Amino acid sequence: MWDYSETVKEHFFNPRNAGAVADANAIGEVGSLSCGDALRLTLKVDPATDTIQAAGFQTFGCGSAIASSSALTELIKGMTLDQALHVSNQDIADFLEGLPPEKMHCSVMGREALQAAVANYRGEVWQDDHEEGALVCKCFAVDAVLIEETIRANGLSSVEAVTHYTKAGGGCSACHEGIEEILTRVLAEQGKTFDPAAAPPPADKSGSAGARLGTLARIRRIEHAIEAIRPNLQRDHGDVELVDIDGKNVFVNMTGACAGCQMATTTLEGIQQRIVEDLGEFVRVLPAQAMPQTTNNQ
Amino acid sequence: MTQAPAGIYLDNNATTMVAPEVVEAMLPYFTEQFGNPSSMHQFGDRVGRALKTARQQVQALLGAALDSEIVFTSCGTESDATAILSALKAQPERREIITTVVEHPAVLSLCEHLEKEGYTVHYLRVDRKGRLDMQQYLDALSSKVAIVSVMWANNETGTLFPVEEMAELARSAGVMFHTDAVQVVGKIPIDLKRSAIDMLSLSGHKLHAPKGIGVLYLRRGTRFRPLLRGGHQERGRRAGTENSASIVALGKACELALAHMDAEKTQVRMLRDRLERGILAQVPNAFVTGDPSNRLPNTCNIAFEYIEGEAILLLLNKAGIAASSGSACTSGSLEPSHVMRAMDIPFTAAHGTTRFSLSRYNTVADIDRVIAAVPPIVAQLRRLSPYWDASAGAPLAEPETAFQPAYA
Ligand SMILES: Cc1ncc(COP(=O)(O)O)c(C=O)c1O
């Protein structure tokens, strides 16, 4: 079973603002039916002040999709449209005290519905566009910039390899076409042509087991793993933050109840296990106090 | 002794409660009966005798001609892999496999992997009711085929395949036949000695034995290459010191299953039908998936249109009811089940498929509670659905055109 936070469960069992707003003047419809998610967001906006007076949602989706929709409507009620557009998927996830990584796309959907509704209100045509780069893989929230960088850094040439390195395309596979387009573009820059029938490149030549992530992807993955653990610690009035990554060593700061707690080592082990699982390679999680004073790059 | 936990468990195709009698039978093999059955002393001898009894109990349930045709393995997955890989190893000149699009991943993922190694796999299609295309089967059968591997019953829909007939056809074509009978053993009578089935897989935890024990039935005379080589256990067909406690448990579970076979046909089927009728009578826009006229007596898979399965399961769970779903979100794969897609179930329904799988431990009171709980849960989720007209209590006039989200 998914490890949903209490807030996710609460908003799923008792969703706020369910149903369509009567006489709505802003409507956003987004989703991916093959992935099992679709959201219709209806807003009533006061034309004088551009303030959202009422928000309602209709969602076809799983528990976290419904909870994310509920959270979104709660967050944006009373905001001006410009304020609302600043609500990020992370804000939605934070409001819900975290979402399992595989479910982050549910919060992304909420934000996109909002953008679509605002565009609809303003008489514009909404286009899926993201700050970090267009979101390509909705399932694991991987954007185009990250995919491009990973392809370049690791000399990738197949969709399979991209999935392996970034997780993108590992879910509903709706984005495989998009990944192929990026591959075609990046390979063309290097004077190569993308061949969908070609076998994935041979395993890492350096001899280390498994494929290595690009540095950026690796850091993101570690951050993500730590983010996913934080709600558990916060429940016990503790917290953890990432301080530094040095090769195989990941340094963290334990704060609050976790700092002096006898369980600190067990907690570190738990964090380590989680990161190792997510990363697919061995790392050691150490308290920041154990950091070498002068960082020397081996 | 053992007590069923609170709550109504209708997920017996996922796994079953270990029967109290089974737990009791296996416990001594963790304590005083710890010997290695291969050893030349009384400690080993006593365990060896217990294994022999268990082998005969499995033989009886399967209707096998000989107890030596029973090979204990670690699980259903191992039995499936052993059967398929053995057929390929034993007949290196045959480079083709026939299976179906709706197999369990234990077979499907292996076949996909073997394709990468250069084997040709024929995947038999199914129609909207999950029935096999027999013409496609006949066309694919040839002397190039090393093995046909077809499940006896589908784990999601319970739909039965005519494996006995298919095995006869394979035999006439001189091709080995394996069936993944994990969902069938203990639910419907089996008489292997009268069939042309060469190999069959079963898994203990689906019939009230513990997890981590399985059997590969291997008809005498079937050419075989072991997956695990080592000691002479299981007559060299599966090396590794026997999991004696679990083997004893599986034997006991088979004995109980044989004794209760009639209950599956009568009591369990009656409860399943009561559940299905009760739900369908109250919930509009819901239908049974698979082939209702030809399926396991314990399984009922209902597609609730315009809502999503994980949400249904969460609400059922809150009501103390355990079921499962073919929805994407429950598996972490984010794609609806390959079985539902193979049957061409529309996405709006495939995501809402819910499987109720019963056992002889369910009661009428359980079922009536579920019948009462399901309609309000479906209604609650439909009120949230963009495809549903809450005021009319019906789907939108043209649901798929009325609501067309961007990049659907
Ligand atoms: C049809 C089918 N085959 C194989 C298996 C795998 O069995 P096991 O879990 O014992 O490996 C299952 C169990 O889910 C199944 O339903």
Side-chain angles (χ1 to χ4, degrees), chain B residues 13-14 75-78 80 104 106 151 153 155 180 182-183 203 205-206:
Chain B
N13 287 10
C75 61
T77 303
E78 184 192 325
D80 287 341
H104 188 271
M151 67 196 331
N155 45 303
D180 175 340
V182 166
Q183 290 296 343
S203 176
H205 72 99
K206 309 284 183 179

Side-chain angles (χ1 to χ4, degrees), chain A residues 44-92:
Chain A
K44 185 165 167 27
V45 181
D46 176 1
T49 60
D50 265 4
T51 306
I52 299 171
Q53 294 171 313
F57 77 89
Q58 289 158 286
T59 294
F60 172 91
C62 60
S64 51
I66 289 171
S68 297
S69 308
S70 169
L72 170 73
T73 51
E74 282 293 277
L75 278 166
I76 61 174
K77 263 192 305 182
M79 284 185 176
T80 65
L81 291 183
D82 284 331
Q83 285 168 336
L85 283 174
H86 278 106
V87 172
S88 67
N89 19 331
Q90 195 59 51
D91 291 334
I92 299 171

Side-chain angles (χ1 to χ4, degrees), chain A residues 216-249:
Chain A
L216 182 57
R218 188 166 175 268
I219 294 173
R220 286 218 189 161
R221 195 79 63 87
I222 293 172
E223 281 175 346
H224 216 106
I226 290 180
E227 277 311 309
I229 295 162
R230 289 182 62 209
N232 292 336
L233 301 179
Q234 286 163 348
R235 213 166 297 146
D236 297 330
H237 308 289
D239 210 344
V240 60
E241 64 181 5
L242 178 62
V243 178
D244 198 8
I245 302 171
D246 180 13
K248 294 269 172 224
N249 292 335

